[in-house]
Amino acid sequence: MTDLLERSIHLINNFVSQWTKKYLYYTSYIEETTSGHTFMTVFSLPTPSNPIPVATVKVYFYIPDLTDPSEKTMSFRFENDSLIHLVNRTIRISQMEKWIETILARKDRTCRIMFLGTEFEQTRIINKRMDEVLYEKQPEQEKENLVIQPELLEHDQELVNQFTITEEEKIREIKMLTELLYQCFRQIDKDDMGVISYEEGGQLFLLMGLHLGKHQLEDTLNRLDVSRTGILQFKDIQSFGIEILHSIYCQNQALKELREKEEESRFEAQWMLSTDLRNVYKKIVEQCKLKDEDEIHSVNSNVFQQILEEQQFFTEDEIKQIMEIIGQKDVEYQTSDKVLEETIFENLVKGLLEAQRSKMEVFLLEHFKRQDKDNTGLIKINELMIALKNCEKIKLSKVQLYSLQSYIKRNDKDLVNYKQEARKIGAIIKKFFNVDLMEQRSRLPQHTKIDAYIPLITPEQIQEQIKKVGS
């Protein structure tokens, strides 16, 4: 050990010697991080009856510059807390021993519940042994038979990612998803016990945007709790949780592409309207002026409707929409161009998008329509999900089905406008089968090292990060 390290360890030991006369402690050097050089002091209380402590408390110290170690620049944090303390602005020295005892008492209580003995603290503190406990190879789960029939695709290469993603980028994305899941887990694990209950498991899924019914939630939690203890560790939910986040990644990728296509349609619609509508509007204004004998710059709504019909430019539905916006009041015809343009523009965009319907969207519309016995354009969310689950041409995993169920819009009566949602559902399903994303999905449980000093973020920050995943 170098003199610089010895001086730093001596400085830390002198500082913590003021904390307690009861507990034994030992300080060692860990590594260099963005916060500075990291040291770890371990507190324990061996007794004649328990020479091997039931649990220990770890405190991480950070010293920015080893060449000039001093208490003024030193900071530290307790193992179960993301808060960084400064030496001159922290808990009172007289309270430190009580702080250590509180952490040990919590660990001891949890150990008794879980029957994990000294192994428990390693599910909460990230070190070499922690990696083995959290990220040990999980037993192979039965692979779900995922299927998408080629006849639902526009061409053979449709599911091949057009952009080249490097190996480094793939690993970075997988690491990002894993750390985001870990943040979600820690947010729900309010007591920093390293475990969550079934009830908290439901809260975890909600935090990630997954809405499960009562029976779906019970089935999922029972499948994840392989040890049948009634509580879940991070490693229990890791594969399932990352797959949820990966489905959000697919959703955001799909919606991003749909937004881009809609922008293209809007640009095309604007170009198509620019000349024709301007000429038609001039004729409408001229006709309105002829009817405006008192020169008050307005005409009766019935007169305005008649003038629109005479132009033979607008469809019946468009005229109906325009008049619904205008209402029964007199129409100021010189400022009516905005209403006309917005109505025609939106209808034109809608028509362009309908003309671009994919084979998948057309198939889904027909598939869902079978559930719509009254031809209302609405079906129950449960009926839609059953239709997807029983579809022979598309076979999805449970997580994918659950994720889709969470993304689909429905009204307060749980009715879905499937004619509007089919486009989004089809685009997301295709992303599930994108070759590059599927390759990522198959590797998700790997590359899961988590930074030991990752700071805890707020629920709002978590939600914001989830919204940005893949977008």
Side-chain angles (χ1 to χ4, degrees), residues 271-284:
W271 178 79
M272 293 168 67
L273 271 180
S274 58
T275 303
D276 293 344
L277 187 60
R278 194 178 299 118
N279 293 333
V280 170
Y281 180 64
K282 284 181 182 178
K283 293 179 182 179
I284 291 171

Side-chain angles (χ1 to χ4, degrees), residues 51 68 157 162 178 214 252 288 320 346 362 375 430 442:
D68 184 26
Q157 295 297 306
Q162 299 175 7
T178 309
K214 181 180 177 182
N252 290 344
C288 287
K320 185 178 178 182
E346 292 301 328
V362 172
N375 197 27
K430 284 185 181 180
S442 67

Side-chain angles (χ1 to χ4, degrees), residues 301-315:
S301 59
N302 292 331
V303 173
F304 189 75
Q305 180 174 343
Q306 184 181 352
I307 292 172
L308 293 182
E309 291 169 350
E310 289 172 355
Q311 300 306 310
Q312 296 183 346
F313 180 81
F314 307 98
T315 66

Side-chain angles (χ1 to χ4, degrees), residues 28 102 137 172 218 257 366:
S28 58
T102 300
K137 188 172 180 181
R172 186 162 60 244
E218 288 176 356
E257 290 184 8
E366 290 299 317

Side-chain angles (χ1 to χ4, degrees), residues 152-369:
L152 300 182
L153 306 177
E154 307 305 306
H155 51 80
D156 293 341
Q157 295 297 306
E158 187 180 7
L159 300 184
V160 177
N161 198 313
Q162 299 175 7
F163 305 98
T164 303
I165 300 178
T166 65
E167 187 70 15
E168 184 180 346
E169 288 172 327
K170 289 178 184 177
I171 293 175
R172 186 162 60 244
E173 286 177 355
I174 291 169
K175 183 174 184 291
M176 178 270 294
L177 292 177
T178 309
E179 288 189 352
L180 184 52
L181 176 65
Y182 186 62
Q183 287 282 10
C184 293
F185 185 87
R186 286 193 67 191
Q187 191 63 51
I188 299 301
D189 179 20
K190 299 292 185 185
D191 297 325
D192 281 318
M193 294 171 68
V195 294
I196 58 176
S197 65
Y198 274 22
E199 182 181 352
E200 290 172 327
Q203 295 171 15
L204 174 66
F205 299 147
L206 280 175
L207 180 61
M208 292 191 289
L210 189 69
H211 300 266
L212 299 177
K214 181 180 177 182
H215 297 300
Q216 292 173 340
L217 180 59
E218 288 176 356
D219 174 62
T220 300
L221 293 172
N222 285 328
R223 286 194 297 115
L224 295 178
D225 184 17
V226 291
S227 59
R228 296 293 181 266
T229 59
I231 50 180
L232 299 168
Q233 299 180 59
F234 180 72
K235 66 178 182 179
D236 296 328
I237 59 96
Q238 184 180 346
S239 294
F240 184 83
I242 294 179
E243 192 175 347
I244 293 172
L245 293 177
H246 194 250
S247 71
I248 295 173
Y249 183 99
C250 293
Q251 178 213 13
N252 290 344
Q253 288 264 306
L255 297 185
K256 180 183 176 183
E257 290 184 8
L258 289 180
R259 284 194 299 270
E260 290 171 353
K261 288 181 180 178
E262 185 170 334
E263 284 301 313
E264 290 175 7
S265 297
R266 288 185 169 277
F267 180 79
E268 187 177 349
Q270 193 67 52
W271 178 79
M272 293 168 67
L273 271 180
S274 58
T275 303
D276 293 344
L277 187 60
R278 194 178 299 118
N279 293 333
V280 170
Y281 180 64
K282 284 181 182 178
K283 293 179 182 179
I284 291 171
V285 172
E286 289 171 3
Q287 292 296 316
C288 287
K289 283 182 179 179
L290 293 175
K291 303 288 185 180
D292 181 17
E293 296 176 355
D294 297 329
E295 297 184 358
I296 58 175
H297 305 295
S298 65
V299 294
N300 182 273
S301 59
N302 292 331
V303 173
F304 189 75
Q305 180 174 343
Q306 184 181 352
I307 292 172
L308 293 182
E309 291 169 350
E310 289 172 355
Q311 300 306 310
Q312 296 183 346
F313 180 81
F314 307 98
T315 66
E316 265 185 54
D317 286 340
E318 286 170 344
I319 292 175
K320 185 178 178 182
Q321 284 178 277
I322 292 168
M323 298 314 298
E324 283 177 355
I325 295 171
I326 290 173
Q328 298 299 315
K329 60 185 179 181
D330 288 347
V331 181
E332 295 180 1
Y333 52 85
Q334 289 184 326
T335 58
S336 62
D337 56 331
K338 188 175 181 181
V339 174
L340 299 177
E341 184 173 351
E342 286 181 357
T343 304
I344 306 304
F345 178 71
E346 292 301 328
N347 284 337
L348 200 52
V349 171
K350 184 179 177 182
L352 288 170
L353 290 174
E354 286 182 356
Q356 297 171 8
R357 278 180 179 167
S358 65
K359 293 179 180 177
M360 171 71 81
E361 183 180 352
V362 172
F363 168 77
L364 289 174
L365 282 170
E366 290 299 317
H367 189 63
F368 296 147
K369 191 175 181 180

